[in-house]
Amino acid sequence: MVIRFDRPDVPYKQALYTAVSRAIERRPEAQFDLIAVTPAQGSAADVALNTSKSKKHAEAVLRSLIDMGLPADRVRLSSATNPQAATNEVHIYIR
């Protein structure tokens, strides 16, 4: 799942809940990688600012997952830059 934070107050929680619930139905032992993706565009200061914002978005998504009942030890949080990304994103993968 990819959540694009291209505007304030992105309504991702219902889609996140649905995607994670389906994944757990299929694989009850599923664990997840949550990656804060930052566009690699603009000046070094722009990238640094976007990296900070992207990490905050990922932390909010992690809190949402925990609030939904997913144990924190089933989620691994990391970050990356991507020259193809147009905005800050959070990617969620099953592992």
Side-chain angles (χ1 to χ4, degrees):
M1 175 177 186
V2 175
I3 304 168
R4 288 183 180 83
F5 289 90
D6 55 357
R7 63 186 184 275
D9 300 320
V10 173
Y12 65 85
K13 290 182 183 179
Q14 185 59 49
L16 176 66
Y17 179 80
T18 300
V20 170
S21 295
R22 287 183 182 161
I24 291 173
E25 283 175 15
R26 292 185 187 122
R27 290 184 44 201
E29 75 291 348
Q31 296 188 3
F32 300 88
D33 286 327
L34 198 131
I35 304 169
V37 178
T38 304
Q41 302 168 2
S43 68
D46 290 335
V47 172
L49 181 60
N50 280 327
T51 298
S52 177
K53 287 180 184 178
S54 186
K55 286 180 181 179
K56 287 180 184 177
H57 293 308
E59 290 166 359
V61 172
L62 176 60
R63 280 192 303 277
S64 295
L65 289 169
I66 292 168
D67 290 348
M68 292 174 192
L70 187 68
D73 64 352
R74 292 178 66 176
V75 182
R76 185 170 48 196
L77 187 61
S78 62
S79 63
T81 57
N82 183 341
Q84 281 77 39
T87 187
N88 290 329
E89 302 174 345
V90 174
H91 295 206
I92 300 124
Y93 299 99
I94 298 171
R95 64 178 147 97

